[in-house]
């Protein structure tokens, strides 16, 4: 059976509602979760409408119905992006230039954001081809929308396993599931029953918080000869000049040095922030590199056929150093690759790491910070002229990024998205860039705009950001980055 409601034999719960007695029933699957319905008929109707709306014949839900629902979601997304593109293409030349983008930005921030992400070659012009590529990429992610996942879960309940969920089968499942909510079986969920359910849900949340997120990508099995290592970091100590998560988010670099040796290495790397893993040394030892970032990821230094192709969603969870579910996640990784983990490294920040010497044994894993590495502050590809190293901006930049800025060739990055150079570097590095060319002037904790500017540095989502001061008569920038604020300087 696709569902399992276990009656606890010998344990009978006496309820006070009319002296009725009810058997304990396991919570139903999430797809049959209790909607906002107090009565049995409302509940069953809400469950049944999912099948009626998705099934072509309105009677039987099949895999074709689920696939068709996904195609409809994708088509709607494609249609919406194309509609926005042609609405912004004012002169009808099948491309959106900077002037057209500036008009769009004043109308909708969301539309401007996707135009920025679609501009993969960062030439400030979004062509129809770029829009189509972008829309297809985002539409592919829409296949995993909540509606499609809900229908997949619904079909998985098929009691007889014949690949078809009939209306009669679903109605029976719904009636059985309702028993979990209606403890006295009178067809109505009373206030007292709601209080019991609330307490049980709270206990369930506390228990589920200790369960790791599943691994959602298909990892190849490791060979018996492989040494398998897992690395996870919240952030890195070096800023990237290349974006793998769009122009408006920070991308960082973690250096992985592969030491000499004869055993092949299977490396699994995950991060919270968008991260480029720069692999150097005896790279021929790497048999497989699986990278995943909650906000984006990429790999430099390895052949493309040795790197996992991203699915559009992070498939490996990031775990901070104090999260108890990390140990359970290790087991999930081992099951996925069919091999024990030979070493792990889960830290809040990783600047650079040598493999295998700096990896920790699974039974000796600790939350202690990684020992200081040999990373040195560099401004690769960053013009030094005019940098005021005594400025507060420079001091904050060096404190946040002890590795400075890494100069990476976008063409060398293996990533799900097309990597491109930042128009303006994120955070303090971008502030320094604009201070160098006279666009910004540091004034205490604020930055006064000295001349018209199209783009200000982003990447401030994790903190309070900065305040930009706009003098009287100065044109407002096209976009104010998330996490920052624009203040108007009073007229003298």
């Amino acid at each position: 059976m696709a569902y399992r409601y276990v009656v606890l034999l010998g344990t009978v719960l006496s309820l006070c509602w009319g002296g009725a007695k009810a058997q304990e029933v396991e919570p139903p699957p999430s797809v049959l979760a209790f909607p906002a319905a107090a009565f049995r008929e409302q509940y069953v109707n809400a469950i049944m409408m999912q099948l009626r709306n998705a099934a072509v014949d309105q009677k039987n839900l099949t895999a074709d119905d689920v696939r068709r629902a996904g195609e409809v979601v994708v088509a709607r997304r494609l249609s919406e992006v194309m509609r926005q593109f042609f609405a912004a293409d004012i002169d009808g030349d099948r491309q959106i230039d900077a002037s057209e983008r500036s008009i769009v930005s004043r109308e909708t921030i969301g539309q401007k954001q996707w135009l920025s992400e679609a501009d993969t070659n960062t030439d400030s012009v979004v062509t129809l081809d770029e829009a189509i590529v972008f829309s297809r990429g985002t539409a592919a992610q829409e296949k995993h929308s909540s509606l499609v996942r809900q229908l997949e879960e619904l079909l998985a309940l098929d009691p007889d396993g014949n690949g078809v969920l009939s209306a009669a089968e679903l109605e029976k499942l719904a009636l059985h599931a309702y028993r979990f909510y209606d403890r006295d079986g009178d067809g109505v969920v009373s206030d007292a029953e709601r209080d019991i359910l609330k307490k049980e849900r709270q206990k369930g949340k506390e228990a589920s918080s200790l369960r790791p997120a599943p691994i959602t990508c298909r990892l190849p099995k490791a060979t018996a000869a492989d040494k398998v290592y897992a690395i996870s970091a919240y952030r890195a100590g070096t800023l990237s000049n290349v974006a793998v998560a769009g122009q408006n988010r920070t991308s960082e670099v973690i250096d992985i040095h592969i030491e000499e040796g004869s055993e092949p290495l299977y490396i699994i790397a995950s991060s919270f922030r968008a991260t480029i893993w720069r692999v150097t040394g005896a790279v021929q030892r790497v048999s497989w590199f699986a990278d995943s970032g909650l906000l984006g990821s990429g790999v430099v230094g390895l052949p493309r056929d040795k790197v996992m192709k991203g699915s559009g969603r992070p498939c490996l969870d990031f775990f901070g150093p104090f999260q108890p579910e990390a140990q359970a996640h290790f087991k999930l990784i081992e099951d996925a690759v069919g091999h024990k983990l030979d070493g792990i490294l889960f830290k809040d920040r990783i600047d650079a790491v040598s493999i295998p010497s700096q990896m920790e044994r699974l039974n000796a894993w600790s939350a202690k910070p990684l020992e200081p590495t040999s990373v040195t502050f560099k401004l690769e590809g960053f013009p030094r002229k005019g940098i005021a190293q005594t400025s507060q901006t420079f001091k904050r930049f060096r404190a946040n990024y002890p590795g400075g800025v890494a100069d990476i060739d976008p063409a060398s990055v293996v990533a799900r998205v097309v990597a491109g150079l930042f128009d303006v570097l994120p955070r303090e590095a971008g502030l320094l860039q604009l201070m160098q060319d006279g666009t910004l002037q540091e004034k205490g904790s604020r930055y006064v705009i000295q001349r018209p500017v199209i783009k200000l540095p982003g990447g401030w989502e994790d903190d309070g950001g900065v305040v930009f001061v706009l003098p009287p008569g100065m044109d407002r920038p096209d976009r104010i980055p998330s996490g920052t604020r624009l203040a108007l300087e009073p007229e003298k």
Side-chain angles (χ1 to χ4, degrees), residues 269-281:
S270 64
S271 60
F272 180 84
R273 290 188 180 176
T275 301
I276 296 177
W277 304 87
R278 185 165 56 177
V279 186
T280 59

Side-chain angles (χ1 to χ4, degrees), residues 8 143 267 289 312 345 379:
L8 301 180
K143 281 188 177 181
I267 300 173
F289 194 103
L345 189 66
L379 293 176

